[in-house]
Structures are given as C-alpha cells and as structure tokens.
Amino acid sequence: GIPVRSLRSLASSVHRTIEFRNDAGRPFDLIWVDFEGLEQTYSVLRPGSHQTLSSFIHHVWLLRDHKTGEAVDAVMVVAGAGTQRVLLNNE
C-alpha cells in the first residue's frame, strides 16, 4: 500500500471535475481526505464503472481496496482545463 498519514486536502475555491474509471477486476472505496487528514468515504467504485465528481484543486482523493482496506492510490486534483482522469487497472 501507499503511506497515507500525511495526506490532507488544502482549501481552494477553484473547481475542477475529476473522473475515476475502474478497469481493475475489484472494487475500490473512493474516499475524500479532508482538511484535517480524516478519511470521508464517498462511494464504492465497482469493477467496470466510473464516477465523475465536481471537486476543487488541491483536494485529495484516496482509493482503498474495498475488501482488504489497503490504500492503492492517492490523487490530488490539479489545476488544468477539462476533466482530470484517473484510471485504475491491474498494474
């Protein structure tokens, strides 16, 4: 897994859309890491599904294996045009 102790979102008023696509053969918990570093579970991303969210730059999203709880990825929303895309696969 990845280390998550120091992860936290930073305050921002700049919106950005982010899309998570699950091409892996297992479900993941999609979690927003708040400003205090606490995990706020948002949804379960099932295999073959995708989730599009309205978020803010400098916000952190964590993905945990739904069955084991292992942290498998963390993504910070970054400034940019269009939708930020995150692909989960078996690599």
Side-chain angles (χ1 to χ4, degrees):
I2 60 169
V4 297
R5 284 184 311 132
S6 62
L7 293 179
R8 67 189 65 239
S9 291
L10 303 175
S12 172
S13 61
V14 180
H15 288 270
R16 178 126 194 240
T17 301
I18 186 166
E19 178 188 44
F20 296 89
R21 180 168 300 279
N22 184 357
D23 286 349
R26 59 189 181 175
F28 297 96
D29 293 328
L30 181 57
I31 300 162
W32 178 60
V33 182
D34 72 14
F35 307 115
E36 305 299 320
L38 300 174
E39 296 181 14
Q40 308 295 329
T41 301
Y42 187 83
S43 67
V44 177
L45 196 59
R46 303 276 176 211
S49 71
H50 70 278
Q51 179 96 39
T52 302
L53 307 171
S54 178
S55 191
F56 295 88
I57 65 168
H58 306 300
H59 280 204
V60 175
W61 292 89
L62 178 65
L63 293 135
R64 288 189 178 277
D65 184 289
H66 183 67
K67 292 186 173 147
T68 68
E70 177 185 10
V72 295
D73 200 3
V75 178
M76 179 176 274
V77 181
V78 296
T83 299
Q84 182 174 334
R85 290 185 166 77
V86 179
L87 176 64
L88 298 157
N89 54 34
N90 289 320
E91 294 180 9

